[in-house]
Amino acid sequence: RWVMADALSSTFHPSAVRKVEGGKGGGGEGKSSGQERDEARSVFFGRLLEMLEGEELHESMVVLERELDLKPDLPEDMLFVRSCAIDGDWDLLLGFLEPFRESSHSEWVEMAKRIRTQMFLEALNKGQQQHSGVTDKLLLSLLRELEPLCTAQEYKQLCFQVTLKDLSASDAYAKWTVQRGRYGCWQSLRQHLSPFFDLPPRPALP
């Protein structure tokens, strides 16, 4: 599920373990020590990244990906969507998704709602934590953009968050963090976009 951006071409996935563990009895051409080392490295870091993802340690996972120059085995457009979501490049992401407003409106509504909800929560969290830099005018603007995308109950719940001193006091967002929210946003976008890119469903973690 992860690949080396330049140095390695093998996909990081637990199934690759068989290639490493069964290398001595393959009967084909022998592998060089460098190839075996690269395969073992692929398996090790692939499993480590999957463990971090499974434990919802998304910030650590992304740092490791970038430190090792890894990337998920996805089409370039999906990598762009993932990068924008994880880095919070919302204007770029919304611009990329704009064509879906006409071609697949229901999918666009769900994706735009998820992105704008994350934008709202980040702005609200920043104001709560820093007690400055975020105005009521900004929050009101973000809520207005969300209102036509949400059900009445969803919109009411978002408005309620403004009355709290901290998002952690909310049952709905007790475990929310900026990085966890961004990664959840990416996962939601992947589900909506997968049919358009002919991707298989996201595999369940063990």
Side-chain angles (χ1 to χ4, degrees), residues 97-98 100-101 104-112 149:
L97 297 174
E98 183 62 24
F100 290 94
R101 186 197 291 262
S104 185
H105 187 71
S106 61
E107 294 291 340
W108 176 84
V109 167
E110 292 303 315
M111 292 188 290
L149 305 173

Side-chain angles (χ1 to χ4, degrees), residues 16-186:
V17 175
R18 290 191 293 274
K19 297 180 183 178
V20 179
E21 294 178 343
K24 295 182 179 180
E29 294 184 1
K31 295 180 180 178
S32 70
S33 60
Q35 288 176 317
E36 291 182 349
R37 182 174 62 251
D38 287 346
E39 287 185 354
R41 188 168 180 260
S42 299
V43 173
F44 173 77
F45 286 118
R47 284 184 162 177
L48 179 56
L49 287 166
E50 289 192 338
M51 181 197 74
L52 292 172
E53 184 182 36
E55 294 294 325
E56 298 188 351
L57 298 173
H58 302 127
E59 188 168 1
S60 298
M61 183 191 74
V62 171
V63 169
L64 182 61
E65 280 181 15
R66 292 174 177 176
E67 182 71 20
L68 296 173
D69 198 21
L70 304 175
K71 62 180 181 179
D73 189 17
L74 294 167
E76 286 299 319
D77 282 345
M78 290 293 278
L79 288 174
F80 175 78
V81 170
R82 184 180 188 267
S83 177
C84 285
I86 288 174
D87 292 339
D89 290 328
W90 306 122
D91 289 340
L92 277 176
L93 186 51
L94 288 166
F96 176 84
L97 297 174
E98 183 62 24
F100 290 94
R101 186 197 291 262
E102 297 296 332
S103 63
S104 185
H105 187 71
S106 61
E107 294 291 340
W108 176 84
V109 167
E110 292 303 315
M111 292 188 290
K113 178 170 64 176
R114 186 62 188 253
I115 292 167
R116 292 194 180 280
T117 296
Q118 179 68 18
M119 294 170 65
F120 167 74
L121 292 174
E122 288 192 23
L124 179 60
N125 180 68
K126 182 178 179 180
Q128 290 173 339
Q129 298 298 320
Q130 299 180 5
H131 307 291
S132 63
V134 176
T135 65
D136 291 340
K137 184 177 180 180
L138 172 60
L139 293 175
L140 182 59
S141 173
L142 291 169
L143 283 171
R144 283 175 175 165
E145 291 172 338
L146 274 162
E147 187 172 11
L149 305 173
C150 296
T151 65
Q153 183 59 35
E154 288 171 339
Y155 186 69
K156 181 179 178 181
Q157 184 182 71
L158 290 172
C159 291
F160 174 70
Q161 309 311 313
V162 181
T163 69
L164 302 176
K165 292 184 177 180
D166 195 301
L167 273 174
S168 62
S170 166
D171 291 340
Y173 299 105
K175 295 183 178 181
W176 183 91
T177 64
V178 170
Q179 198 60 44
R180 185 174 291 171
R182 289 180 178 183
Y183 199 78
C185 183
W186 148 243

